[in-house]
Amino acid sequence: MNKTVLNLFIILLFFSCKKNKATLKDKLEINSKTQTTKLIELESKEEELYIVKDSLTNVWTQEILEYSKHQNIIFSTNHRPIVNTHNKSVIDTISTYVFKESKIEIYRAKHRDILISAVLQNEDFILSDFIMIGLKVYVMEKSFATGIPDNYIKIGNSEYSTIFNFLFENGELKTIKYEGYLD
């Protein structure tokens, strides 16, 4: 009798421990999903796809900065002076370049250019030798090995300070929008 009770107790203990482990795992998964949901809700009410590609966003930023020096594109330009926030005795420049439906805004300091914003809406601007207005959505999906929900994808750096937004309409890339952080 004692042996039967002891065996029953061991079996009961084994199953109750196993259940607790599963419950803990379930709680961690639920907690992880909740945190992810909160992160997405902070960014937008809709689910957004954000891909972290630090080196790629640096290359794209430099490519856009180079377009402002491009000889084959005739930009309408506007330059306005601005006081440097770190040194009030220094005057820097914000340059705006417009070509067709596209607009690039650059902060020009004495030794450095910083991309502030860009909205590219015509095929004259090409990133990484293949990303341009009119690109088919399936090419972008294949290049980044992911589906693109709601015809919208964000690719940026891990600090969320350099973000490229790609908007697709009717299966083609319609707009590339750059959002940068300027200190």
Side-chain angles (χ1 to χ4, degrees):
M1 169 101 173
N2 285 339
K3 192 174 186 180
T4 307
V5 172
L6 182 61
N7 286 339
L8 186 58
F9 179 73
I10 291 172
I11 292 172
L12 183 61
L13 183 63
F14 175 76
F15 282 112
S16 66
C17 288
K18 190 171 184 179
K19 184 179 178 188
N20 286 340
K21 286 181 184 178
T23 304
L24 179 60
K25 182 180 177 187
D26 292 342
K27 286 180 183 178
L28 288 174
E29 287 177 3
I30 290 168
N31 190 26
S32 174
K33 288 178 185 176
T34 304
Q35 288 175 354
T36 303
T37 303
K38 287 179 184 175
L39 178 63
I40 290 169
E41 287 175 358
L42 288 175
E43 290 179 7
S44 169
K45 292 299 178 189
E46 298 177 3
E47 184 176 332
E48 295 179 340
L49 178 59
Y50 187 86
I51 298 175
V52 175
K53 296 284 185 184
D54 289 307
S55 59
L56 190 56
T57 56
N58 289 336
V59 169
W60 290 344
T61 301
Q62 291 307 311
E63 287 178 342
I64 292 175
L65 285 170
E66 286 301 313
Y67 275 113
S68 69
K69 303 170 190 169
H70 207 280
Q71 300 298 321
N72 295 333
I73 299 177
I74 310 288
F75 288 103
S76 66
T77 59
N78 180 23
H79 306 284
R80 67 180 195 272
I82 188 168
V83 176
N84 186 301
T85 56
H86 299 287
N87 184 348
K88 302 293 182 198
S89 67
V90 175
I91 304 295
D92 293 326
T93 305
I94 294 184
S95 299
T96 304
Y97 299 87
V98 178
F99 179 72
K100 296 181 182 177
E101 300 86 24
S102 298
K103 180 179 176 181
I104 300 170
E105 196 169 39
I106 299 171
Y107 185 94
R108 297 200 182 277
K110 186 175 182 178
H111 300 290
R112 183 173 146 184
D113 291 345
I114 303 168
L115 185 60
I116 299 172
S117 66
V119 177
L120 308 177
Q121 295 184 311
N122 54 301
E123 63 281 346
D124 296 288
F125 301 93
I126 303 170
L127 303 177
S128 294
D129 295 325
F130 80 98
I131 299 174
M132 65 180 173
I133 301 307
L135 179 74
K136 300 292 184 191
V137 70
Y138 66 84
V139 174
M140 193 77 153
E141 289 174 330
K142 189 170 184 172
S143 298
F144 290 98
T146 186
I148 298 178
D150 300 321
N151 292 316
Y152 182 75
I153 184 173
K154 284 185 170 189
I155 300 174
N157 64 4
S158 54
E159 291 86 27
Y160 288 82
S161 61
T162 300
I163 301 170
F164 286 85
N165 301 283
F166 297 90
L167 177 65
F168 294 85
E169 288 181 12
N170 300 320
E172 293 184 351
L173 183 58
K174 182 73 173 172
T175 303
I176 301 169
K177 182 179 177 189
Y178 168 84
E179 301 171 22
Y181 172 76
L182 180 64
D183 181 18

